[in-house]
Amino acid sequence: MTDQREPWAERTVEMPPEGQNPFRSGRAQVGPARRAEPTGPHIPTGTGWPGETGSIPRPVFSEELRLFRRGARLMLTGALFAFVCWGLWAISDGGNLGTPFALFVLTGLVALGLYALARVVGRVVWEKQLGRVRRSARGAHLVTAVFLAGVGIAYLRQIDWVVSAWSWFAGLF
């Protein structure tokens, strides 16, 4: 080995004279593959390759209820906004409240159907196609809240004094 005080270029390995190649072509020698010995009994987790019999385990009902509650405030906020707008519309109409109440109940049923549809689509796309685990119902709650907010705005657009106030406000700018 050369002296460590020499510059780097001078400390490189000497190559043999031309014509003698120190390298050999061919395949590298690889030893047999070693398998780790199992440390205990096999515990199936239900996950695996796509198409196997195992699938993502479904949570128990209490866990499903806890997942349902995540994001429920979004839907409740949309429902409250729709209810207030419906109330303003029903009162400003000045007639019988039977028909507006039936319309609001029908709107609520459509919102519940939309929520259920969003949950089914989430299950099919997120869990089945992508193989992911859903940790909340926020997406379905958000879709339903946007629908309910749109319904509330539609109620407000039917009130004369709200439309005239909006037109006046928009005319300022």
Side-chain angles (χ1 to χ4, degrees):
M1 178 126 201
T2 59
D3 189 14
Q4 293 292 324
R5 292 173 293 205
E6 293 181 29
W8 180 81
E10 302 298 326
R11 288 185 283 152
T12 57
V13 177
E14 298 293 328
M15 290 294 292
E18 285 190 39
Q20 294 179 358
N21 188 357
F23 304 107
R24 291 182 290 184
S25 61
R27 293 182 5 198
Q29 294 181 359
V30 179
R34 295 183 196 164
R35 292 191 96 166
E37 294 297 322
T39 57
H42 173 68
I43 301 172
T45 59
T47 59
W49 294 101
E52 285 186 352
T53 57
S55 63
I56 298 173
R58 298 290 304 149
V60 294
F61 181 71
S62 61
E63 180 71 15
E64 192 77 31
L65 189 59
R66 187 180 66 80
L67 295 178
F68 166 76
R69 289 182 183 156
R70 287 187 179 174
R73 289 182 183 169
L74 291 169
M75 189 169 65
L76 291 177
T77 303
L80 181 64
F81 179 73
F83 178 73
V84 168
C85 295
W86 170 82
L88 289 173
W89 172 72
I91 291 171
S92 70
D93 193 28
N96 186 5
L97 291 180
T99 303
F101 181 74
L103 184 62
F104 188 71
V105 169
L106 181 65
T107 302
L109 291 175
V110 170
L112 287 176
L114 181 65
Y115 174 78
L117 179 66
R119 289 289 287 174
V120 168
V121 167
R123 178 171 169 83
V124 168
V125 171
W126 195 253
E127 287 185 357
K128 298 291 184 187
Q129 295 295 324
L130 299 176
R132 307 280 178 124
V133 176
R134 288 189 295 179
R135 291 183 173 83
S136 70
R138 286 187 185 118
H141 285 298
L142 180 64
V143 167
T144 309
V146 167
F147 169 75
L148 289 171
V151 166
I153 290 171
Y155 283 135
L156 286 179
R157 292 185 65 185
Q158 296 179 16
I159 303 172
D160 292 333
W161 63 270
V162 172
V163 171
S164 62
W166 179 257
S167 299
W168 174 80
F169 182 74
L172 292 176
F173 302 102

